[in-house]
Amino acid sequence: MAESTDMDELLQSFKKFAIHGDTKATGKEMNGKNWAKLCKDCKVIDGKSITGTDVDIVFTKVKAKTSRVITYEEFQKALEQLAPKRFKGQSKEEALQSIYKLIEGKEPTNVGVTKVAKTAAVDRLTDTSKYTGSHKERFDESGKGKGKDGREEVVEHTGYVAAYKNAGSYEEKTKAK
């Protein structure tokens, strides 16, 4: 009974790593990049007995010749090949259980992802209320960009100079007299 729950956790980890970084992934197949990430994040790669090259070689061995991805069954075969190499002093079954324990319940980590800088200089430079000149015309009062209307030089055939603030006021002045 305990083994079935362990296998469920292993399958969940497989699915989480399979969809990591790929919006079109279903979680049924894992590509080589995500396989390498799984091995690195779950500490299967230790740098001594198993390296990144070993992981790539095992991936190539277990996948189908024309395929670029591995299924869950092929994933288990790959772990069976890596287990005795990673845990040398243990029997094949113990090594396999040990490698499963490394992976079970793990998720992809986002170490080294660039964070948004929140400094006063960035806030000052991106505050649209402080923009002047032609740049000020690209944003409305709320600070939202006007899009193409704010960038494009729209030609108006009114007889006034472009961006003249009092356009259309000449008729009102002459009628008032």
Side-chain angles (χ1 to χ4, degrees):
M1 185 73 185
E3 279 191 38
S4 67
T5 58
D6 291 346
M7 288 301 175
D8 290 344
E9 287 184 29
L10 190 69
L11 179 62
Q12 291 303 317
S13 292
F14 173 82
K15 286 180 178 180
K16 286 177 184 173
F17 277 96
I19 62 170
H20 179 72
D22 188 4
T23 55
K24 296 180 186 94
T26 60
K28 292 182 171 76
E29 296 174 325
M30 182 183 290
N31 60 24
K33 179 178 69 93
N34 288 4
W35 161 250
K37 179 164 181 57
L38 178 139
C39 291
K40 187 177 176 196
D41 287 359
C42 296
K43 310 243 184 314
V44 173
I45 296 175
D46 60 356
K48 295 177 187 132
S49 56
I50 293 184
T51 63
T53 308
D54 296 324
V55 167
D56 291 339
I57 290 168
V58 168
F59 180 83
T60 307
K61 280 183 187 175
V62 296
K63 74 175 179 62
K65 290 276 185 228
T66 57
S67 179
R68 304 181 92 184
V69 293
I70 58 172
T71 62
Y72 181 66
E73 289 76 26
E74 292 168 335
F75 167 73
Q76 287 180 315
K77 287 178 189 169
L79 291 179
E80 286 173 20
Q81 289 186 16
L82 285 176
K85 201 170 180 188
R86 173 72 165 84
F87 300 99
K88 287 186 177 141
Q90 299 177 355
S91 70
K92 196 168 189 170
E93 287 76 27
E94 288 175 336
L96 195 56
Q97 289 304 315
S98 298
I99 207 162
Y100 285 168
K101 281 184 177 54
L102 287 177
I103 297 168
E104 287 165 0
K106 297 281 185 7
E107 294 183 13
T109 57
N110 291 327
V111 177
V113 175
T114 307
K115 303 280 189 286
V116 177
K118 291 282 185 190
T119 62
V122 173
D123 290 341
R124 189 179 71 249
L125 291 171
T126 56
D127 185 4
T128 58
S129 66
K130 293 185 171 84
Y131 288 0
T132 59
S134 61
H135 301 292
K136 188 176 189 176
E137 302 298 321
R138 294 179 49 214
F139 300 93
D140 60 11
E141 297 78 37
S142 68
K144 190 172 186 318
K146 292 181 184 176
K148 197 171 187 178
D149 294 334
R151 291 189 308 268
E152 199 172 80
E153 191 68 39
V154 181
V155 178
E156 298 173 5
H157 300 286
T158 59
Y160 288 96
V161 180
Y164 181 61
K165 301 282 187 229
N166 298 320
S169 62
Y170 178 74
E171 287 80 15
E172 294 169 12
K173 287 180 184 175
T174 54
K175 286 179 189 175
K177 288 184 182 181

